[in-house]
Every structure is written in C-alpha cells, then in structure tokens.
Amino acid sequence: MMTYSDYIKEIEERKGQGLHPKPIDGAELLSEIIEQIKDLNNEYRAESLNFFIYNVVPGTTPAANLKANFLKEIVLGQSVVAEITPAFALELLSHMKGGTSIKVLLDLALGNDIAIAKDAAEVLKTQVFLYEADTDRLAEAFKGGNEIAAAILESYAKAEFFTKLPEIAEEIKVVTFIAGEGDISTDLLSPGNQAHSRSDRELHGKCLISPEAQAEIKALATANPDKSVMLIAEKGTMGVGSSRMSGVNNVALWSGKQASPYVPFINIAPIVAGTNGISPIFLTTVDVTGGIGLDLKNWVKKTDANGEVVRNESGDPILEEVYSVATGTVLTINTKTKKLYSGDKELIDISKAFTPQKIEFIKAGGSYAIVFGKKLQTFASKTLGIDIVPVYAPSKEVSVEGQGLTAVEKIFNANAVGTTPGKVLHAGSDVRVTVNIVGSQDTTGLMTSQELESMAATVISPIVDGAYQSGCHTASVWDNKSKANIPRLMKFMNDFGLITARDPKGVYHSMTDVIHKVLNDITVNEWAIIIGGDSHTRMSKGVAFGADSGTVALALATGEASMPIPESVKVTFKGDMKGYMDFRDVVHATQSQMLKTFGGENVFQGRIIEVHLGTLNADQAFTFTDWTAEMKAKASICISEDYTLVESLEMAKGRIQIMIDKGMDNQNQVLKGLIAIADKRIAAIISGEKPALRPDANAKYYAEVVVDLDQIAEPMIADPDVNNADVSKRYTHDTIRPLSFYGGVKKVDLGFVGSCMVHKGDMKILAQMLKNIDEQEGKVEFKAPLVVAPPTYNIVDELKAEGDWEILQKYSGFEFDDNVPKAAARTSYENMLYLERPGCNLCMGNQEKAAKGDTVMATSTRLFQGRVVEDTEGKKGESLLSSTPVVVLSTILGRTPTIEEYKTAVEGINLTKFAPSHKLLVK
C-alpha cells in the first residue's frame, strides 16, 4: 500500500530514469490525495489536484472506484472543489470507461434531481462498457416508466455512442521510419527480457528498438507535427512471432496519439507497415488500438523477359524496389480511395487495411468499443421491443453453393453467433464466435488484468468452459520483480475465475508448467476455439489463436472473439520415416518442402494449417501445431483418427484429474466440468454418434502440401543464418538445413532441451542417450553445457516413476528446488547438465540467457536476434533449432555431429515416430 510520501519519493526516483509519475491505481494513495484536495490549506493540494485529474488509472481499479465516487459527490454538491465544477466532474467520469464510473452515472441519471439526471444521461449515451448489472438497472428503470432511462435506451438503440463520433480523416499524412530490414519480431518492439515492466507503460516504452531509434522517431515527429510516424519492416513482415500488445503499445506511445487527456500513457492509432504486410496475430493487436497496418509490397521478385523469377547464387529470388520508403519519406494514406500516394503519384492499393470493419475500429478508437457497442445496441433494441437499426457495417458472409467445408470452417460455423440463420459460411466471412478455452500467461497477464479493469470486467464469462493463468514465463528466476508482480497477478486472476498456476492462498504447490501444454490438456473437444496470450497458443485439439493481452481480456470478459474465417492449407504426408529420424525433423522438413514446392512463397502465412497427422496423440502432434507459429500461420488444426483422439482425450482427463487432486479446482468446479465434457465427447466418438472432426471431401483450400517422408534423410535444423549478406534473410525460421551442412565441425557452446516443443518422449530420449553412453563409456562427459527444462511437473513425476529421472540426476550439476528457487539469473555455465524447473527457461529470453556470442543448439522455437543469446562485438549469437537427440549429442561432442555419429548415437532409441494414416480423413 503506497502513501503520499512514498509516492513523492518514487517520483523523484523515476525522474532519475527520465520518467513521469507512475499512474495511480491504489486506493490508499488516492484516498490521501483526495483528503489533501479537500484541505484548502494543504501544501500539497495543487499537485494532488493534478494527480487526481490526470494520473489515475481508469476502469475497475481501487483508485478508479474512489475517483468516481468523489466525482459523484462533486456533481451532487456534497463536496465542493473550485477547480472541478460539476460539469467538469461529469466530463472526467466520461473518460473513465466503465466500472464504478458507470454505476455513478446511473445513480445520477436515475436519481431525483432532473437537471443532474439529464446531464448524466448525456454522458451515459457516450459510454459502451456496460455489463449485465448496469443494463439490468436500465431495463428495470425503463419498465418502471423512467423517462431518462427510456431516452438512454433510445440512444443506445441508435448506437449514437458510435454514430456521433467524428468520421476518420480522408487523408492521413505519414513520415516513414525503417524500424528494421527483414522480418521484424515483436521482440524488437517489446523485448522479452523486459517483460517485467510491461504493466508500467512509460517505463516499458523505453525498450522500443533502441534509444537511438527512439530519438530518431521523436525527431521525425517534431519535424513533422502534421504527420504520423509510420514504422516499417523493410523487405519483411512486421510483428512476426507474437501478438504482443506491449509492442503495439510501445509503437503507439512513440508515434500514436493520446487516447484521453485524463489518462496517462495510453495511446492509440499507431501506423505500422511491412513490405510483406503485418503478421496476422500482430494485426489483430493493431486493431485493438484503432491503428492501421499496411502491406506495402514495395519490393517485388525480379523477372526475366519470359516472366521467370530471377534468382541469386543461393537460389533465392532477387528483389527489385518498386518505390522507396526510406526513413523520412512523406506519404499520404487516402482512406476514401484506399490508396497510398507519394505526392500525387499513386503507389499501391491498400484497401485491405480499410475494410468497413477496420474503418469502424479506427473511428471508435479500437475494436473493443465496436464489440461492446454492438452488444449494447442489441440489448437496447430488445428492451425497447424494436428491430435493430443497421448502423455497423454488415458482417461479410461468404457462402459458396455446393462447396464443402474445411475443418476451420466447420468449427467456426458450429461456434458462430449472430449470423444469418441456416447460412453455411466459408473462408472470408466475418464471424463472432464463442470461445471455449482461454489462456493468460504471466509476462502479459498483468496487462490482461489492466485491460479487464479498463473494460470494467469483474468476473469471467459463463460461456467459457475453462481458463488458465500460467506461471511458466517467470519460472526460472524468482527475483524481486517476480515476487512483486506474480502474486498480485495470480490473486487477480483467481478472483476473476481462472485456474491459476500459483495459489494466492498458498494451499497447493506452485505449478510453473508451460502454458501451451496446460491449454492442450484442458482442451477436451476438438471442436473448441481457444484464445491464448501467446503466439504459441496452437493446440493439437481444436483451433487455437495466439492473441494480445487485450483480446485475451475480451475473451475472458465476453466469452467471444471476432475475426474472419481464415483460408486453409491442407498438409498431408506420404512415404516412410527413416528409423533414425525424429518427428521434429518432419516438422522442419514440412516448412522446407513447402517453400521449395511454391518457389519460396510461404503459402502458410496468415492461413490455417490443416495437418492430417491422424495417428499421433495430442502430445506428439503438438510438436507440429506449436511450430506453425514459426511457419507464420494464423493457426493450425490437427485431423486425428477416432481412436487417436480418444487416446488424447483420456490422457487429458488424467492430467486434469491430477490438477484437481492438487487442489487447483475453483468454487465453480471448472476442472471437474472439463472432465465431464471430455467424457461426453469420448462417448460420442466411440458410439459413432459424432466421429472425430473431418473436413469435407469437396472442401476448398488455398493450397495443398504433400510432405514426402522419404526425402527426409537426415536431421533438419532451423538456422538463423546470422551472417547472410542479405539482412532480410536473417532470423526468419525459413532457413532449414540438413545436419551435414555443418560438416561435423561447427562449435556448439550450449544446448537446451525444453520449452513447449518437447514432450515426455523427448525427456525419455535424453535419458536413454545418457544411459547408453554411460553403459558404453562408463561415464558421460559434456563438452558444452546442457540445460534441460521439462515442460510440466507431470512429466517429471512420470519420469521418476519410470526410472528415467535417476540418470538425469546422476549427471546434473544443478537440480531445481521449488523450496529454494533461483533468485538471480545464471550468467555463466559449466560443462554439465542443468535440471531446471519446469517452464519456458531460455526460450523466453526474459530470465535465463546463454553467454553473449554463443552458438546454442536448442529444441525451442525462438531464433530471434538477442532472444536466447545476444551478440558480442566480434561474434553474433546464434540459436539453432533442432531435435532433442541432435541437441544432446551436440553438447556431448561440443560441436555439431556428423550424420554417422548421429545414427550411432540414436541406435536402439525410441524416437518420436510418425506414419501417415491409411484412412481417408475426410467426411
């Protein structure tokens, strides 16, 4: 609890960091500030007024509750503050978005003072963040004959909170800033290693790109006061790898506009662009803030006289610049013609950025206001007994006669709400869908809680089957930042209705299992829609979408999400896996073969990968669906055989029961309810009433990819290609190389087995490799450190029961101890095995790291610059991604193995195998 004197002290400390006072969210501090405002002779009165008016977090925070009630006193004349007139108090209430401010406005509007009631009603007519408790009051007052309530409802039915907003500008002038060349990961905009500061928006804004870039953006803005600075990914895609809300927030802080003069450090309307557009999950986040994302297409493949693509020595297409967007270039976005101009010269059509729905997001200042506005208009019309007046752009409904449905089209049709009755929808349709499972992870969770507070949500939607708050991203190091942030987050989410990794009451043992693994277990119906606060929310059951913290908050609060039905790419397999190959190699080869088949075009980007794995259970199939984030797919769906799906659901039931046995279920018995859903689904599959999800035989796909397993002759490695002369080709995940490329001589400085890409089988592979070497050589010697982080505690328990953990303990120089977790990140490593706590560990980049300049061989998903390993002056850090046996052998040898060494090392080991299904997995 912070007092005023503590706050002043903190302000002085922040000045040293070049920061303004931190926004106020606590009740104790604001209570003291209010008392100082009331005391006309108080020496701190003037600055207290300033803090009260301009520096209080809105929504449902304790401070917002106090602020709203004090403003109510001022409106009613119960308190007199010369600087805050009743009219100004109402204006301040209008900027508080929801929660107690709505309750206060309703109190005033439905009160006995008619003049005040009318003024309060005018403010209420501009508000959209109303919940059932608020709308119930309005409906009750209306039924009781209250004319003010009737007037408010009539305004809501006309959606005047939207129609009376200013139209978006016809011309938007921008000045360009090249944020980077090649694909830009959201790590550049909001580094993972700064995750602890995300809820402190101004502080976190300091980590955008670099101080030099921030200075340049600021200089451009100052020199071009009538223009917006547009951040660009030159020769690449903007925002790959994550939907990170903090990245968009940072861009908005530096180049957007303030959402409200009375709410600090919440900016909207950022403008971002990329030669190859914006990553789909990142674009959703841009929509949340009412921003604009452009596909520039300013570099194209060079062609010869015959129209053939010209390639360089490496076989990559040579690109030609169509027009320049060099930093400082002034361009014009015309929202009416939907074209981009340089002066009077038309450069490109940008109509995809200005669909009717996106224009609404821009006009309303973000997509939330549209979601809540539609809901509010529907309520008002129903209460008044009138038809809904068409105000919003009609949802696009694409229905092709005689065309079958892909798996994602089936799921969206089954979960759609508010669509034309009886109409079957295909890809391209805009759909509101119910959400079954929601996940919040711990480094974005604080932002999700802030979003929930700002939209005045206090309890999870009853529509949601289950939701989970993880602790995996902060599992490795329990430092002071984690101790300050995580318990507060867990309490908030537990109170809100989520199952939480840590128990705020301290009853059950803290569980730091990787969020994606838990979500995969609690998804107990392959028809489910999952929303998760991480780009790797890619389940092997159902269809899962990685989302920003705000979209997660919206799903938690409303139980819904809105998006177009994506196109699908069908992936099937032929041939046979060689006995010495691991399924991870099939995953990498899929990407490699796809790029080769389509001449370098990534047909997966922005689409659903419908992968027909059939015979792989959910744990093993997850290795593929998880990696689809790196394929730049929007999401993925695994098509399973009936018996395989039943096996996966039984496995999920067992793990959910373990969570229940640990005491993790809540008062609503969410986990028990999930087991009931699984039982019902299993019964329907076994009886034949509803077999496993299948696409229709006559479904239409954007493309079809057939992966030839016979072509996969050696382990495949995703290489960041850090020294590629073409900067845009570095850190892309698209460079997939065979093991032999490295000739058995590339030095490996550290190995990592862990993250969401490994399952129990990987841990058993590691154990068996150590046992084999122990038996053959009498001991195991590591020539490079090997960090091992099991994904879940269940896996640890099962390995102990099956006798595999013992060999890992034998060769570990460090084993995690939950009773004494690490308080500081490791800065150096010895050549030994480190048994780390279950969680994300090195993959996250926010806690543990490899030594600068290291070459890391890892099972993880991240090879972005500076993520797992940073550069030194003389050597770039590189994170090569491969299968578990390759990682283990590389650390024992201290270098990449030859194919002969690899084959020998894995002989007799049960690697993760896959055989294509012999059944036709269509309906």
Side-chain angles (χ1 to χ4, degrees):
M1 303 296 282
M2 181 172 279
T3 63
Y4 191 77
S5 58
D6 293 334
Y7 189 51
I8 297 302
K9 182 180 177 183
E10 181 190 72
I11 289 171
E12 290 303 314
E13 292 171 353
R14 288 173 71 86
K15 280 181 182 177
Q17 300 173 270
L19 300 171
H20 294 87
K22 199 171 183 179
I24 299 166
D25 59 8
E28 184 179 15
L29 173 58
L30 193 66
S31 180
E32 195 173 342
I33 285 172
I34 289 172
E35 290 305 312
Q36 288 171 178
I37 291 172
K38 290 179 178 179
D39 180 1
L40 299 180
N41 297 317
N42 192 285
E43 61 179 312
Y44 303 117
R45 186 175 182 278
E47 60 187 23
S48 292
L49 264 168
N50 190 68
F51 291 143
F52 179 83
I53 294 170
Y54 297 104
N55 211 47
V56 176
V57 176
T60 58
T61 64
N65 295 341
L66 271 180
K67 180 173 180 176
N69 281 311
F70 185 48
L71 291 171
K72 178 183 177 182
E73 290 179 18
I74 293 173
V75 174
L76 293 173
Q78 297 168 352
S79 290
V80 177
V81 178
E83 296 86 351
I84 305 177
T85 63
F88 186 33
L90 285 170
E91 182 182 352
L92 289 174
L93 283 166
S94 75
H95 287 260
M96 294 184 69
K97 297 186 75 172
T100 305
S101 65
I102 297 295
K103 179 183 180 300
V104 163
L105 287 167
L106 283 168
D107 289 345
L108 297 171
L110 302 178
N112 296 322
D113 190 311
I114 297 302
I116 290 175
K118 287 182 177 179
D119 290 340
E122 289 306 307
V123 175
L124 266 174
K125 290 175 184 178
T126 67
Q127 304 295 295
V128 293
F129 291 101
L130 277 71
Y131 287 85
E132 280 72 15
D134 307 314
T135 53
D136 286 350
R137 285 186 68 187
L138 272 175
E140 186 179 347
F142 169 71
K143 290 170 185 174
N146 188 296
E147 293 181 2
I148 296 291
I152 294 169
L153 288 171
E154 287 166 6
S155 177
Y156 287 165
K158 297 174 186 174
E160 289 182 339
F161 42 72
F162 175 72
T163 60
K164 290 190 174 182
L165 292 172
E167 297 299 325
I168 68 172
E170 182 176 331
E171 287 193 345
I172 301 171
K173 299 282 186 182
V174 298
V175 57
T176 62
F177 175 77
I178 303 297
E181 192 171 342
D183 288 350
I184 290 183
S185 144
T186 45
D187 260 19
L188 185 74
L189 311 176
S190 168
N193 61 10
Q194 298 298 312
H196 63 89
S197 66
R198 286 177 185 161
S199 58
D200 184 347
R201 292 196 182 205
E202 186 190 20
L203 173 60
H204 194 68
K206 298 285 186 182
C207 70
L208 175 80
I209 310 177
S210 68
E212 294 76 19
Q214 293 163 22
E216 194 167 356
I217 292 169
K218 188 174 182 180
L220 282 169
T222 302
N224 299 271
D226 60 332
K227 304 175 186 70
S228 295
V229 179
M230 179 170 72
L231 271 63
I232 296 173
E234 178 79 315
K235 293 186 182 178
T237 303
M238 173 66 81
V240 300
S242 174
S243 54
R244 202 165 294 169
M245 188 81 200
S246 52
V248 172
N249 286 343
N250 282 351
V251 175
L253 275 175
W254 286 99
S255 62
K257 59 185 180 183
Q258 192 173 0
S260 163
Y262 308 113
V263 180
F265 310 120
I266 295 182
N267 282 20
I268 59 173
I271 303 177
V272 292
T275 292
N276 302 324
I278 316 297
S279 171
I281 52 177
F282 192 64
L283 189 55
T284 300
T285 321
V286 174
D287 290 341
V288 167
T289 57
I292 298 171
L294 300 183
D295 186 358
L296 296 174
K297 298 178 182 175
N298 58 313
W299 289 85
V300 298
K301 295 174 185 176
K302 183 178 180 179
T303 56
D304 59 21
N306 297 319
E308 297 293 324
V309 174
V310 180
R311 300 179 182 274
N312 60 20
E313 293 178 356
S314 302
D316 296 321
I318 294 175
L319 300 179
E320 288 185 316
E321 187 178 54
V322 180
Y323 61 93
S324 173
V325 291
T327 294
T329 303
V330 173
L331 302 172
T332 302
I333 296 169
N334 190 299
T335 63
K336 188 174 181 179
T337 64
K338 301 179 183 179
K339 303 290 177 77
L340 183 68
Y341 295 89
S342 175
D344 295 328
K345 182 183 178 183
E346 178 185 320
L347 299 178
I348 193 168
D349 180 277
I350 51 174
S351 55
K352 285 185 178 180
F354 294 99
T355 63
Q357 287 75 24
K358 288 183 182 292
I359 288 174
E360 289 175 344
F361 297 158
I362 297 167
K363 177 178 175 177
S367 56
Y368 296 166
I370 299 299
V371 173
F372 276 83
K374 288 180 178 179
K375 186 177 179 182
L376 192 55
Q377 186 193 23
T378 301
F379 150 75
S381 301
K382 184 177 179 181
T383 304
L384 293 171
I386 61 175
D387 292 335
I388 296 175
V389 178
V391 169
Y392 295 102
S395 294
K396 184 179 179 182
E397 294 189 340
V398 178
S399 187
V400 183
E401 186 72 28
Q403 180 177 305
L405 298 174
T406 63
V408 73
E409 288 169 340
K410 287 192 172 186
I411 293 175
F412 269 60
N413 275 278
N415 289 274
V417 292
T419 55
T420 303
K423 197 168 190 178
V424 176
L425 302 178
H426 289 90
S429 301
D430 295 312
V431 186
R432 280 169 54 213
V433 289
T434 54
V435 175
N436 307 95
I437 302 292
V438 185
S440 170
Q441 52 96 334
D442 37 327
T443 50
T444 59
L446 285 169
M447 293 177 60
T448 300
S449 66
Q450 286 180 335
E451 297 285 348
L452 287 167
E453 287 176 329
S454 71
M455 63 177 70
T458 56
V459 65
I460 191 170
S461 169
I463 298 173
V464 176
D465 292 332
Y468 178 72
Q469 171 61 61
S470 82
C472 58
H473 286 55
T474 53
S476 306
V477 182
W478 193 237
D479 55 15
N480 290 333
K481 293 168 185 173
S482 296
K483 291 174 185 175
N485 290 332
I486 303 306
R488 179 161 52 98
L489 169 64
M490 294 295 168
K491 183 180 186 313
F492 180 95
M493 291 302 192
N494 200 281
D495 291 345
F496 199 82
L498 282 74
I499 304 299
T500 52
R502 295 179 183 272
D503 183 7
K505 302 178 184 67
V507 175
Y508 58 81
H509 183 78
S510 295
M511 188 174 81
T512 57
D513 292 358
V514 175
I515 180 173
H516 326 302
K517 293 293 190 183
V518 178
L519 292 182
N520 206 37
D521 286 338
I522 68 173
T523 300
V524 288
N525 187 340
E526 85 279 22
W527 289 80
I529 293 178
I530 305 100
I531 297 290
D534 191 291
S535 58
H536 285 94
T537 304
R538 308 280 172 132
M539 305 303 99
S540 50
K541 301 186 291 286
V543 61
F545 298 94
D548 60 276
S549 55
T551 301
V552 170
L554 198 63
L556 288 171
T558 67
E560 293 185 7
S562 299
M563 65 185 87
I565 302 178
E567 294 177 304
S568 294
V569 176
K570 184 178 182 179
V571 175
T572 55
F573 302 86
K574 68 177 182 179
D576 299 300
M577 270 186 77
K578 293 174 173 54
Y580 55 85
M581 301 304 295
D582 185 79
F583 182 62
R584 176 72 184 252
D585 302 311
V586 175
V587 174
H588 286 183
T590 298
Q591 191 163 350
S592 179
Q593 290 188 23
M594 176 274 296
L595 290 169
K596 185 177 180 180
T597 300
F598 292 93
E601 178 194 353
N602 184 354
V603 297
F604 292 152
Q605 183 163 344
R607 300 183 177 92
I608 301 290
I609 297 178
E610 184 185 284
V611 57
H612 291 236
L613 289 172
T615 58
L616 278 186
N617 67 37
D619 269 15
Q620 296 170 342
F622 185 78
T623 304
F624 190 103
T625 56
D626 194 39
W627 183 259
T628 60
E630 314 317 330
M631 296 175 181
K632 300 180 187 175
K634 188 172 182 66
S636 58
I637 295 178
C638 179
I639 305 301
S640 295
E641 293 184 1
D642 288 349
Y643 78 90
T644 308
L645 180 57
V646 170
E647 176 191 346
S648 296
L649 293 174
E650 291 288 1
M651 188 187 305
K653 280 175 55 185
R655 290 172 179 170
I656 294 170
Q657 187 60 53
I658 290 171
M659 295 171 74
I660 293 173
D661 294 343
K662 287 180 178 180
M664 295 181 71
D665 214 350
N666 58 18
Q667 62 182 8
N668 293 330
Q669 294 190 305
V670 165
L671 295 176
K672 185 178 179 181
L674 290 172
I675 289 181
I677 293 171
D679 282 334
K680 182 178 179 181
R681 185 68 192 105
I682 289 169
I685 297 169
I686 292 174
S687 69
E689 176 190 346
K690 189 175 182 181
L693 172 67
R694 303 276 191 273
D696 290 333
N698 59 338
K700 182 180 179 183
Y701 296 91
Y702 176 81
E704 296 192 29
V705 176
V706 180
V707 180
D708 189 350
L709 300 178
D710 290 330
Q711 290 184 20
I712 311 171
E714 55 182 302
M716 308 294 284
I717 294 173
D719 193 322
D721 204 10
V722 297
N723 295 309
N724 194 312
D726 184 347
V727 177
S728 69
K729 299 296 183 183
R730 300 175 188 172
Y731 310 106
T732 68
H733 286 91
D734 287 343
T735 302
I736 308 291
R737 288 171 167 155
L739 182 64
S740 58
F741 175 86
Y742 304 94
V745 297
K746 186 174 181 64
K747 187 174 183 288
V748 173
D749 300 298
L750 184 142
F752 173 53
V753 172
S755 87
C756 48
M757 284 294 285
V758 299
H759 54 86
K760 179 184 172 182
D762 289 278
M763 301 300 295
K764 292 184 77 70
I765 289 168
L766 163 61
Q768 190 59 55
M769 289 183 76
L770 296 182
K771 286 177 185 177
N772 288 356
I773 295 170
D774 188 72
E775 290 172 2
Q776 295 163 8
E777 307 293 335
K779 61 180 179 179
V780 179
E781 289 185 352
F782 291 94
K783 292 185 180 177
L786 176 59
V787 178
V788 176
T792 69
Y793 284 90
N794 284 351
I795 288 174
V796 175
D797 292 340
E798 290 168 16
L799 292 172
K800 287 178 178 177
E802 295 166 15
D804 294 296
W805 193 256
E806 187 178 342
I807 190 71
L808 302 184
Q809 287 178 311
K810 178 178 178 179
Y811 284 106
S812 66
F814 170 88
E815 183 176 355
F816 75 92
D817 182 353
D818 281 338
N819 295 317
V820 189
K822 291 203 303 288
R826 186 177 285 112
T827 55
S828 61
Y829 299 82
E830 297 178 40
N831 290 344
M832 64 183 191
L833 176 65
Y834 293 82
L835 274 181
E836 291 287 354
R837 197 179 201 178
C840 302
N841 201 271
L842 282 161
C843 189
M844 260 303 295
N846 66 319
Q847 295 190 322
E848 300 284 77
K849 276 197 183 284
K852 290 183 179 180
D854 270 2
T855 293
V856 180
M857 188 72 75
T859 61
S860 68
T861 57
R862 296 311 197 198
L863 49 64
F864 303 129
Q865 185 174 18
R867 180 67 174 255
V868 172
V869 55
E870 295 177 357
D871 300 338
T872 63
E873 287 290 331
K875 184 179 183 301
K876 292 182 180 296
E878 34 184 354
S879 176
L880 288 83
L881 310 179
S882 63
S883 67
T884 292
V886 170
V887 173
V888 175
L889 189 54
S890 295
T891 57
I892 290 170
L893 298 172
R895 58 171 172 79
T896 53
T898 64
I899 185 63
E900 290 76 19
E901 289 170 327
Y902 169 82
K903 287 181 180 179
T904 301
V906 299
E907 192 171 345
I909 293 177
N910 184 25
L911 301 176
T912 307
K913 291 290 184 288
F914 166 64
S917 177
H918 294 298
K919 298 180 179 180
L920 187 63
L921 298 182
V922 294
K923 185 177 179 181

